[in-house]
Amino acid sequence: MPRIRHKRLDCSPGCAVEATLELIDGKWKGVILFHLLQGTLRFNALRKLLPNATQRMLTMQLRELEEDGFIHREIYPQVPPKVEYSLTEHGRTLEPVILALKRWGDAHTSFGASGRQAEASAKHEAEAGTH
Amino acid sequence: MPRIRHKRLDCSPGCAVEATLELIDGKWKGVILFHLLQGTLRFNALRKLLPNATQRMLTMQLRELEEDGFIHREIYPQVPPKVEYSLTEHGRTLEPVILALKRWGDAHTSFGASGRQAEASAKHEAEAGTH
């Protein structure tokens, strides 16, 4: 079982929400998990997908995801060395969470895949709310 | 439309995931939203539900959620003053996200509502994985 961090949680029924958030809210973790849902990726491919993450930060987040049992790192003994990351079975259980986050972001933030459409739909929602 | 914070995001398809996380990953925000999904709550009721959050921290998180348009604060002009929090229409759109986080936490962390059951199911999964 992966290491579970949460020193600071109360134990109200809602704290399972916080427990999950604590595991995936590290900077870039959500987006790393999202990309690995599509398949195995080499370190350099991940770097290209996250151009704003520094190499150090990306390495750190990948290490934590590995420690938590969400991703697997495969090192191929060749020159130059090839390192591939993939989701573990445990990591794949996060799929509904990551997809829910993605869907909400797409629909409700300017960073969504369909920004303009999202704005229109948010406007529509707001108008509907005033009736 | 609520204020959307995310200075540090790249714009790969996955960044909608990060954008959503940034809005809800403040300490206690997930659990506050979870409790407000069940209905309107007074400040003191929220405090009881989050015994480990300080009053200052809870106030700060509620204020940010209000600024982001997720919750509504209703102040009743009476003595002593009564303050109630509820989800806005916009806040309610987060329901699938919060429920996905809750379900995963319940099933996969010791903080889940059904801790023992979750452990058993995780063990079962792990065993199934070795076949």
Side-chain angles (χ1 to χ4, degrees):
Chain A
M1 277 294 289
R3 171 170 61 87
I4 304 285
R5 290 183 299 267
H6 30 207
K7 312 126 220 151
R8 327 166 302 193
L9 295 176
D10 64 0
C11 272
S12 73
C15 82
V17 178
E18 287 298 296
T20 311
L21 275 174
E22 282 217 2
L23 290 165
I24 61 169
D25 74 359
K27 195 174 167 183
W28 310 115
K29 279 187 187 170
V31 68
I32 292 169
L33 291 168
F34 172 75
H35 288 303
L36 291 178
L37 278 175
Q38 339 287 313
T40 299
L41 286 170
R42 294 178 68 162
F43 184 78
N44 282 340
L46 273 168
R47 280 214 71 186
K48 274 181 203 151
L49 288 165
L50 288 85
N52 291 0
T54 62
Q55 178 158 347
R56 191 174 164 281
M57 178 58 82
L58 185 55
T59 302
M60 204 161 76
Q61 301 300 290
L62 286 166
R63 196 154 304 166
E64 284 189 20
L65 287 169
E66 195 186 352
E67 281 169 19
D68 286 330
F70 294 134
I71 66 173
H72 170 70
R73 180 169 56 146
E74 185 76 37
I75 307 159
Y76 295 89
Q78 59 185 52
V79 181
K82 182 173 127 183
V83 181
E84 276 185 351
Y85 293 89
S86 57
L87 289 184
T88 60
E89 280 300 305
H90 186 57
R92 204 154 279 282
T93 64
L94 281 170
E95 182 163 8
V97 175
I98 300 299
L99 293 185
L101 290 164
K102 173 78 166 74
R103 262 183 230 119
W104 194 91
D106 278 346
H108 297 276
T109 74
S110 55
F111 282 76
S114 50
R116 230 170 320 164
Q117 201 186 334
E119 264 173 51
S121 113
K123 197 169 164 247
H124 177 76
E125 253 178 63
E127 280 164 359
T130 61
H131 289 210
Chain B
M1 277 295 288
R3 172 169 61 87
I4 305 287
R5 290 182 299 267
H6 30 209
K7 312 126 218 152
R8 327 165 303 194
L9 295 175
D10 65 358
C11 273
S12 73
C15 82
V17 178
E18 287 298 297
T20 312
L21 275 174
E22 282 217 1
L23 289 165
I24 60 169
D25 74 358
K27 193 175 167 186
W28 311 113
K29 279 187 188 171
V31 68
I32 292 169
L33 291 167
F34 172 76
H35 288 302
L36 291 178
L37 277 175
Q38 340 287 313
T40 298
L41 286 170
R42 293 178 67 161
F43 183 79
N44 282 340
L46 273 168
R47 281 213 71 186
K48 274 181 203 151
L49 287 164
L50 287 86
N52 292 0
T54 62
Q55 178 159 347
R56 191 174 164 281
M57 179 58 84
L58 186 54
T59 303
M60 205 162 76
Q61 301 300 290
L62 286 166
R63 196 153 305 166
E64 284 189 19
L65 288 169
E66 196 186 352
E67 281 169 17
D68 286 331
F70 293 135
I71 66 174
H72 170 71
R73 180 170 58 146
E74 185 76 36
I75 307 159
Y76 296 89
Q78 60 185 52
V79 181
K82 183 173 126 183
V83 182
E84 276 186 351
Y85 293 89
S86 57
L87 289 184
T88 60
E89 280 301 305
H90 185 59
R92 204 154 280 283
T93 64
L94 281 170
E95 182 163 7
V97 175
I98 300 299
L99 293 185
L101 290 164
K102 173 77 166 73
R103 262 183 231 120
W104 194 90
D106 278 345
H108 296 276
T109 74
S110 55
F111 282 76
S114 50
R116 229 169 323 163
Q117 203 185 334
E119 263 172 52
S121 113
K123 196 171 164 245
H124 178 77
E125 253 179 61
E127 280 164 1
T130 61
H131 288 209

